[in-house]
Amino acid sequence: MIPFVREIEVVYGRRDQVSALIQRVIADNPGPFTFTGTGTYIVGRPEPGAEIAVIDPGPPDDAHLTALLAAVNGRRVSHVLVTHTHRDHSPLARPFAEATGATILAARPPARTVHASDSGQGEALEEDEDAAFAPDVILTGGEVIEGDGWTIEALATPGHASNHMAFILREENALFSGDHVMGWSTTVVAPPDGDMADYMASLDAVIARNFATLWPTHGAPVTDPAPFLIAYRAHRQAREDQILTRLAAGDRMIAQMVPILYAAVDQRLWPAASLSVLAHLTKLVRDGRVIAEPGAVLDAVWRLKA
């Protein structure tokens, strides 16, 4: 069982000091995929005049922009860092950067809009791509950004999105994990842009770094990451094994598998679950264990490879 962390005190728009170098302001956009809302992180000393960085400014919400500007008032915002270009993370980056004079850094956006909305599930997933997003500086992973008493390292973590980038705060051995790892839920991996093989490799990369704390964009921090991440990875492997079991039992369609595999899950999440199953099956096709006819798409016919 994953030791989920679901307790979090939320006052929308309030600046909370959550560690020595981290403050958080939560946007009022709760939902089945955003939990209590988007948490924007401010990295740096709290006193006036300090140089700071801001991670995931959030959705296109005027009230949240006003709250962020109030939260950073009197300090210099040097960098805006974006974990990925879903609309609950990146749209406020440009207006916030223009208001503060900051530089926006992120991985290269997808060449075309290829997120969950392309699969006919966009409304249910609330994971639409922010097609207008364009960073000032493209990150590929490994870059180091230094500020006033803080050092941030970019860590490429594709899987949830092809351009997902997590950020390490070296002074606290902490990872801003975006949507790659969340304390309150497992992460949606939705083809065509989400990729399960990439996700598992990224998860292994995070496990190997032995972080002291994970700060997801949605929900509370994970303060004991090692057992949490082991359980998180084991859950993905168990789901893959369950899918193979359903295929061996004669299921041929994702629509047959989801009600069984996700019987205990809110049915509002079944469209997302269908795409997660698709991501697992696509990986299994690449691994040479499963055949998809006519191809690895949501309504394909699947069978075990003889």
Side-chain angles (χ1 to χ4, degrees):
M1 296 290 291
I2 301 172
F4 286 121
V5 184
R6 296 191 170 111
E7 294 297 321
I8 180 173
E9 179 185 353
V10 177
V11 178
Y12 294 117
R14 185 179 71 185
R15 185 183 73 181
D16 292 321
Q17 190 80 40
V18 294
S19 82
L21 286 173
I22 303 171
Q23 297 169 323
R24 182 183 59 207
V25 181
I26 300 178
D28 188 4
N29 64 328
F33 297 95
T34 57
F35 194 39
T36 59
T38 297
T40 299
Y41 291 103
I42 303 167
V43 180
R45 295 183 292 106
E47 57 262 30
E51 178 189 20
I52 57 176
V54 170
I55 299 174
D56 279 352
D61 181 282
D62 289 342
H64 190 53
L65 177 58
T66 299
L68 287 181
L69 292 174
V72 304
N73 188 36
R75 293 179 287 175
R76 184 172 73 85
V77 184
S78 58
H79 300 83
V80 172
L81 308 173
V82 176
T83 60
H84 62 299
T85 48
H86 286 169
R87 285 184 56 80
D88 52 331
H89 293 254
S90 61
L92 271 190
R94 182 57 61 189
F96 179 77
E98 289 177 348
T100 59
T103 300
I104 302 172
L105 299 86
R108 187 180 302 279
R112 61 187 181 91
T113 303
V114 290
H115 282 276
S117 56
D118 284 349
S119 300
Q121 307 287 341
E123 182 178 354
L125 280 178
E126 300 174 359
E127 289 280 289
D128 285 347
E129 180 75 18
D130 177 12
F133 178 77
D136 300 314
V137 177
I138 299 292
L139 300 175
T140 58
E143 295 88 350
V144 176
I145 303 113
E146 294 183 292
D148 182 10
W150 51 265
T151 311
I152 292 176
E153 176 188 346
L155 177 65
T157 48
H160 171 70
S162 62
N163 64 336
H164 198 286
M165 188 73 63
F167 298 102
I168 301 163
L169 178 58
R170 288 182 173 178
E171 284 77 5
E172 297 188 1
N173 190 28
L175 181 72
F176 297 99
S177 58
D179 284 355
H180 182 62
V181 177
M182 299 186 293
W184 68 283
S185 175
T186 55
T187 299
V188 173
V189 179
D193 195 54
D195 185 285
M196 189 60 70
D198 286 349
Y199 182 80
M200 296 297 280
S202 296
L203 199 56
D204 287 339
V206 170
I207 291 170
R209 295 294 292 259
N210 195 29
F211 293 110
T213 310
L214 306 179
W215 293 98
T217 299
H218 307 289
V222 178
T223 56
D224 191 11
F228 185 92
L229 289 168
I230 290 170
Y232 217 68
R233 195 189 193 289
H235 167 81
R236 291 292 184 183
Q237 186 59 55
R239 186 68 76 201
E240 180 176 298
D241 295 341
Q242 290 167 351
I243 290 168
L244 290 169
T245 297
R246 294 315 310 160
L247 290 171
D251 288 355
R252 293 291 175 262
M253 305 286 292
I254 290 175
Q256 293 174 298
M257 302 180 198
V258 168
I260 298 171
L261 297 177
Y262 294 86
V265 173
D266 185 340
Q267 292 190 24
R268 294 179 300 168
L269 303 181
W270 282 8
S274 297
L275 290 169
S276 186
V277 172
L278 173 60
H280 277 289
L281 285 164
T282 301
K283 174 182 176 294
L284 288 167
V285 169
R286 292 182 195 159
D287 292 345
R289 303 179 68 184
V290 170
I291 295 172
E293 298 173 349
V297 294
L298 199 60
D299 57 354
V301 175
W302 308 85
R303 60 184 176 85
L304 293 172
K305 188 172 182 179

